[in-house]
Amino acid sequence: MKIYKIAVIPGDGIGPEVVREGLKVLAAAARKHNFKIASASFDFGGARYLKTGELLPASAIDDLKKFDAIFLGGIGHPDVKPGILERGILLKLRFDLDLYINLRPVKLYENVPTPLRDKKPEDIDYVVIRENTGDLYTGAGEFRHKGTPDEVAVQSMIYSRRQVERCVRYAFELIRQRHGGNPWRGLSEEERKKGYRGKLTLCGKTNVLTYVYDLWERVFYEVAKEYPQVFADYCHVDAICIYMVESPQRFDGIVTGNMFGDIITDLAAVTQGGMGVAPSGNIHPGKVSMFEPVHGTAPSFAGKNVVNPVATILTAQMMLNHLGEEEAAANIESAVKASVKKMKSMLVGQMGHSTSEVGDLVVQNL
Ligand code: IPM
Ligand code: MN
């Protein structure tokens, strides 16, 4: 029997309670599909930092590399100045494990209320492939004349061709393989007639960011030549925001840099029913990868058993997919689809179920 070694980082705030439901569903899926989850828990997060003053132990990265995957709840603490835990734990894990893809599926399930009036599940079904190691996130920059009226702050947007190319290539490969029941998603009638199967949109800002997104655009169309079956499309990030709300059906896959990817995936999450349903994976193909819901730690709801664990359960589903347990992953997704039909809302306090009841519901539907 296959045994998967999973490093679990419950983290702060609501992290532990949503992770608990994710593990519950994973255990049930394992029983049903004949594999085992061997999990080990790591206490990285704000509480540990406040107690010990340490963000990550020196051995953390090497220790985590021994696992098949990492399952993370959320990192962040109201008593710690913003940026310390993010940079010292979450981003450090993404960078040091070189998790260069942040994959964020945007999918509206049936019966899930969306603020987009008239939009149906068939309209909202795409993936955002967010680059995860570069951009404004590298922390490169400086203050000059700090604290004086002449102060200048610089924060550099940095990308290497290698970083861009591996991300863009991953995105084309993903879209080439993505069927989603409809290989013509996002394509106009005319594009369909040309025989494209799948569409990848580069989200950039070539009219202003004339270095970084110039590089992205050149690399994008170079790699596109290797994928003639995928329709390669470009859209400025501001226009992407319009379309994500107005006509999300035009998207199949969106590939973009780290900063734009961060912003547009929060907007995307709202269109798919809220932060309570949006999963994500920090991926390096073939290496240990880390799976976490898009939402944060929501400290005001912590320990109350009221938040929606669906995002974390779908995150577990992405992790199983990544590990090659496609059947179990598909089963979890079906169970989630059946479960959300029984929930009143995806929003905290309005679900008609507690956090643990939602987990139980998904297990029953497996
Ligand atoms: C996310 C989060 C992080 C990010 C923060 C917590 C550093 O917003 O995963 O989207 O900006 O990447
Ligand atoms: Mn974010």
Side-chain angles (χ1 to χ4, degrees):
M1 189 186 297
K2 203 128 197 181
I3 301 177
Y4 298 104
K5 287 185 289 174
I6 306 296
V8 180
I9 308 175
D12 302 307
I14 58 164
E17 54 203 282
V18 290
V19 158
R20 189 187 60 218
E21 299 315 308
L23 291 173
K24 191 194 271 179
V25 173
L26 277 174
R31 278 195 298 275
K32 194 166 167 205
H33 293 268
N34 273 314
F35 59 86
K36 263 207 166 109
I37 299 283
S39 64
S41 190
F42 292 81
D43 64 351
F44 308 150
R48 178 181 194 277
Y49 172 67
L50 287 171
K51 205 162 62 196
T52 66
E54 189 177 60
L55 289 160
L56 278 181
S59 62
I61 300 296
D62 284 334
D63 290 345
L64 291 171
K65 280 185 184 161
K66 296 183 188 122
F67 288 82
D68 295 310
I70 305 164
F71 189 45
L72 172 90
I75 302 280
H77 199 289
D79 301 339
V80 183
K81 196 174 151 233
I84 294 182
L85 300 170
E86 291 87 336
R87 293 210 66 77
I89 302 179
L90 185 62
L91 299 181
K92 189 168 167 55
L93 292 175
R94 290 179 184 170
F95 290 161
D96 289 9
L97 294 168
D98 199 24
L99 305 173
Y100 65 91
I101 296 298
N102 195 327
L103 186 63
R104 299 188 160 182
V106 185
K107 197 164 178 178
L108 176 66
Y109 291 109
E110 221 172 295
N111 244 40
V112 169
T114 169
L116 303 187
R117 185 166 42 89
D118 305 334
K119 294 299 175 210
K120 310 245 155 355
E122 60 266 29
D123 298 321
I124 304 177
D125 182 4
Y126 56 96
V127 282
V128 178
I129 300 107
R130 164 185 174 189
E131 202 290 328
N132 213 24
T133 61
D135 208 333
L136 292 163
Y137 277 75
T138 60
E142 61 176 319
F143 291 116
R144 288 195 197 159
H145 318 296
K146 191 173 180 188
T148 75
D150 296 322
E151 178 163 0
V152 177
V154 179
Q155 192 105 35
S156 304
M157 183 177 255
I158 301 179
Y159 264 116
S160 71
R161 173 177 276 267
R162 253 182 252 287
Q163 275 175 313
V164 175
E165 185 173 337
R166 66 181 179 172
C167 174
V168 162
R169 196 173 291 282
Y170 176 95
F172 272 106
E173 195 54 41
L174 184 75
I175 296 304
R176 187 180 68 79
Q177 291 172 27
R178 189 176 128 88
H179 300 296
N182 177 1
W184 298 284
R185 258 205 62 81
L187 295 167
S188 68
E189 204 51 49
E190 210 166 299
E191 291 150 4
R192 286 175 197 207
K193 281 196 196 125
K194 288 183 192 153
Y196 290 113
R197 295 170 74 83
K199 170 176 172 178
L200 182 63
T201 305
L202 171 63
C203 163
K205 188 74 186 170
T206 52
N207 52 351
V208 174
L209 303 174
T210 49
Y211 299 108
V212 166
Y213 278 97
D214 185 88
L215 174 63
W216 272 85
E217 194 181 32
R218 281 182 283 122
V219 171
F220 180 74
Y221 284 109
E222 275 167 37
V223 176
K225 289 192 199 127
E226 298 168 36
Y227 294 88
Q229 60 284 72
V230 177
F231 182 66
D233 188 31
Y234 173 84
C235 193
H236 291 323
V237 61
D238 42 358
I240 287 255
C241 292
I242 298 176
Y243 298 138
M244 278 170 60
V245 171
E246 193 188 72
S247 45
Q249 63 274 15
R250 72 166 64 211
F251 296 122
D252 185 15
I254 299 176
V255 64
T256 189
N258 208 346
M259 188 77 257
F260 293 161
D262 176 49
I263 300 166
I264 68 169
T265 52
D266 269 24
L267 173 58
V270 170
T271 67
Q272 73 187 113
M275 303 309 286
V277 291
S280 85
N282 301 273
I283 295 170
H284 186 128
K287 290 198 184 167
V288 63
S289 296
M290 179 168 80
F291 296 82
E292 55 168 328
V294 174
H295 63 66
T297 54
S300 61
F301 298 118
K304 295 188 175 149
N305 199 27
V306 292
V307 296
N308 191 348
V310 162
T312 308
I313 293 169
L314 287 171
T315 295
Q317 178 255 333
M318 284 181 77
M319 181 168 76
L320 285 185
N321 233 332
H322 180 82
L323 292 170
E325 292 293 337
E326 278 106 357
E327 213 176 291
N331 197 348
I332 292 180
E333 192 184 16
S334 308
V336 165
K337 280 187 189 167
S339 304
V340 295
K341 283 190 185 147
K342 302 209 175 87
M343 294 166 67
K344 287 206 190 91
S345 162
M346 294 299 113
L347 305 177
V348 58
Q350 300 170 33
M351 303 190 295
H353 294 81
S354 66
T355 306
S356 47
E357 282 167 357
V358 174
D360 293 340
L361 195 57
V362 176
V363 169
Q364 279 161 31
N365 282 314
L366 262 184

